[in-house]
Amino acid sequence: MQLRRGDVLDGAMAILDEFGLADLTMRRLATSLGVQPGALYWHFPNKQTLLGAVVDKILEGLDTPSDTDRWDEAYSELAHRLRAALLAHRDGAELVSATFASRMTSSKVREHFVAAGTDYGLSREHAELAAYALLYYVLGHTVDEQSRAQMEELGALTRAPISPDSPEVIGGESDENLLAGDPTVRFQFGLDLFIDGIRARLASPHSALHTS
Amino acid sequence: MQLRRGDVLDGAMAILDEFGLADLTMRRLATSLGVQPGALYWHFPNKQTLLGAVVDKILEGLDTPSDTDRWDEAYSELAHRLRAALLAHRDGAELVSATFASRMTSSKVREHFVAAGTDYGLSREHAELAAYALLYYVLGHTVDEQSRAQMEELGALTRAPISPDSPEVIGGESDENLLAGDPTVRFQFGLDLFIDGIRARLASPHSALHTS
DNA sequence: ACCTGAACACCGTTCAAGT
DNA sequence: ACCTGAACACCGTTCAAGT
């Protein structure tokens, strides 16, 4: 039976979720679909385009409008939804981040971030710039968060040499303890930094070009 | 005459600047040094480590302390210096960004961003989070800026089909005109967003955990 | 229309063996 | 100590030829 474009996409998502971005190669994908590598190029012109389609799948659902009428809540919700979408797939943040430069310009997600600004008094240009700044933050934070989480998964398997139900070790976290804690709270902190910055811009729009 | 570690590093920087990150392969580097690929593995255990050393070179000089006593100027100067360092090498932003997750935790640059916060009343934890948020922004913005600039270079060679000294075309920039303009000004806008957000945090530290 | 077979031009890394 | 030679196990992409 014939391979359809959707099958290729589903196969790619499956490899991504199970084995990660590094294992998402055209040859491995072909093998998992029981087909020769060249066959994939009938459905997608190249790997870049395939990954773009995967990114669109990861990001789909982000465009349902927020039901709040507060601009700060709209920004916050959008940011949290984007983060959640990235975290929902293995290496999701890294993949979207890597494709971002060439594709996010035409993305719906970007437009929604912009709209959340223009709807509440920001000029088009300032809303664009604020949207990008926020996107950079969300992507950067989430790439970092996800890679740390994956490192910890590996560490959890490598560590625990004595007993799995040993009492909690105290004193081993002096290393990076300040960066521990609920990632969502850490995410929210940077988000609030942005939102407060935008609030200042809305309060006194003419300060935009001053160096702080 | 023998190959030293420094020669390998210099060769890597030369390929990066002349041909870009995609051409910075171990085999190409070996060829440019007149040596077999395996020889590089005597000086560096793997490519990742080599790239890490290249990143350190790109980022060296970032740790000279700022002479200002204003925290906002310290943040701003640090951010501008980081951006300048990234822009000083072809694909510099992309390279540093790619290595960031695994290496910036131990970077001097990160520590300086943190210090710029703690020196002026931010708690250690908040300063850490603010530093990361700002780093994500600078990296994201600069990767974007640099990739756009490189696309334009290609476009400038592909375009201009009639005459190189033709009068300026009007009407062709409706496409993305809002995102044109001085990149430094655009960079400053997002930077000010951050700094104003931090200012709000300094003014009322207890609002940190509220959703804006 | 859709896929195979087979090649092209590459990668990073390892390692016995040379000097 | 430092490097060569040669291999191993991969990549993405193309394209004549098959069905």
Side-chain angles (χ1 to χ4, degrees):
Chain A
M1 60 161 97
Q2 253 186 209
L3 196 65
R4 277 115 34 104
R5 202 190 127 101
D7 301 331
V8 178
L9 223 45
D10 289 344
M13 295 286 298
I15 291 179
L16 184 68
D17 284 336
E18 275 191 71
F19 307 100
L21 187 56
D23 283 358
L24 182 43
T25 68
M26 297 301 266
R27 299 181 96 102
R28 206 182 202 291
L29 177 55
T31 302
S32 86
L33 294 169
V35 97
Q36 296 294 319
L40 302 178
Y41 290 83
W42 176 224
H43 300 278
F44 292 91
N46 49 46
K47 188 180 182 180
Q48 196 191 149
T49 305
L50 206 184
L51 290 182
V54 171
V55 166
D56 285 340
K57 272 207 115 177
I58 291 176
L59 260 30
E60 90 186 355
L62 267 275
D63 44 351
T64 54
S66 162
D67 54 350
T68 178
D69 58 345
R70 293 180 51 93
W71 68 269
D72 49 3
E73 285 177 3
Y75 266 124
S76 184
E77 189 185 325
L78 221 42
H80 277 287
R81 286 216 303 239
L82 174 54
R83 170 170 171 261
L86 301 179
L87 292 178
H89 296 91
R90 164 113 85 133
D91 295 330
E94 192 188 340
L95 172 56
V96 173
S97 196
T99 355
F100 174 74
S102 50
R103 300 193 66 262
M104 207 63 131
T105 309
S106 61
S107 163
K108 295 256 180 70
V109 177
R110 192 192 110 269
E111 282 163 30
H112 283 93
F113 273 83
V114 174
T118 54
D119 290 356
Y120 296 95
L122 238 46
S123 75
R124 174 89 196 167
E125 184 157 23
H126 285 180
E128 295 264 11
L129 294 172
Y132 272 102
L134 190 43
L135 278 170
Y136 298 144
Y137 169 68
V138 175
L139 287 171
H141 174 96
T142 312
V143 167
D144 209 23
E145 175 183 353
Q146 200 167 37
S147 84
R148 278 176 209 274
Q150 276 163 196
M151 282 188 206
E152 268 202 17
E153 268 179 54
L154 285 178
L157 299 178
T158 309
R159 265 188 279 110
I162 311 275
S163 160
D165 58 333
S166 60
E168 41 189 336
V169 183
I170 317 189
E173 76 272 69
S174 69
D175 179 16
E176 281 292 327
N177 58 350
L178 295 168
L179 292 174
D182 186 356
T184 305
V185 173
R186 311 205 312 114
F187 178 70
Q188 186 71 50
F189 179 85
L191 189 52
D192 286 340
L193 238 43
F194 257 119
I195 290 175
D196 284 343
I198 295 172
R199 199 190 313 284
R201 206 72 359 127
L202 285 169
S204 61
H206 294 301
S207 71
L209 294 180
H210 291 80
T211 305
S212 62
Chain B
M1 58 160 94
Q2 251 184 211
L3 196 64
R4 277 113 36 100
R5 203 189 125 101
D7 301 331
V8 178
L9 222 47
D10 290 343
M13 295 287 298
I15 290 178
L16 183 69
D17 284 336
E18 274 190 72
F19 306 100
L21 188 56
D23 282 358
L24 182 43
T25 69
M26 297 301 266
R27 300 182 96 101
R28 205 181 203 291
L29 176 56
T31 302
S32 85
L33 294 168
V35 99
Q36 294 295 318
L40 302 178
Y41 289 83
W42 209 94
H43 300 277
F44 292 91
N46 49 48
K47 186 179 182 180
Q48 196 192 146
T49 305
L50 206 183
L51 291 183
V54 171
V55 166
D56 285 340
K57 272 208 113 175
I58 291 176
L59 259 32
E60 89 186 356
L62 267 275
D63 42 353
T64 54
S66 162
D67 55 350
T68 178
D69 58 344
R70 292 180 52 94
W71 67 269
D72 49 2
E73 284 176 3
Y75 266 124
S76 184
E77 188 185 326
L78 222 41
H80 277 288
R81 287 215 303 238
L82 174 54
R83 170 169 170 261
L86 301 178
L87 291 179
H89 296 91
R90 165 112 86 133
D91 295 331
E94 192 188 342
L95 172 57
V96 173
S97 195
T99 353
F100 174 75
S102 50
R103 301 192 67 264
M104 206 63 129
T105 309
S106 60
S107 164
K108 295 257 180 72
V109 177
R110 192 193 109 270
E111 284 164 29
H112 283 94
F113 273 83
V114 174
T118 54
D119 289 355
Y120 297 95
L122 237 45
S123 75
R124 174 91 195 167
E125 184 157 23
H126 283 182
E128 294 264 11
L129 295 172
Y132 273 102
L134 190 43
L135 278 170
Y136 298 144
Y137 170 67
V138 175
L139 287 172
H141 174 95
T142 313
V143 167
D144 209 24
E145 175 183 353
Q146 199 167 38
S147 84
R148 278 176 209 273
Q150 276 164 197
M151 281 189 207
E152 269 202 17
E153 266 178 56
L154 285 179
L157 299 178
T158 309
R159 266 189 280 108
I162 311 275
S163 160
D165 58 334
S166 59
E168 43 189 334
V169 183
I170 315 188
E173 77 271 74
S174 67
D175 180 16
E176 280 292 328
N177 58 351
L178 295 170
L179 291 174
D182 186 356
T184 305
V185 172
R186 311 207 311 116
F187 178 69
Q188 186 70 48
F189 179 85
L191 189 52
D192 287 339
L193 237 44
F194 257 119
I195 289 175
D196 284 343
I198 294 172
R199 199 191 313 283
R201 205 72 359 123
L202 286 169
S204 60
H206 295 300
S207 70
L209 293 180
H210 290 80
T211 304
S212 63

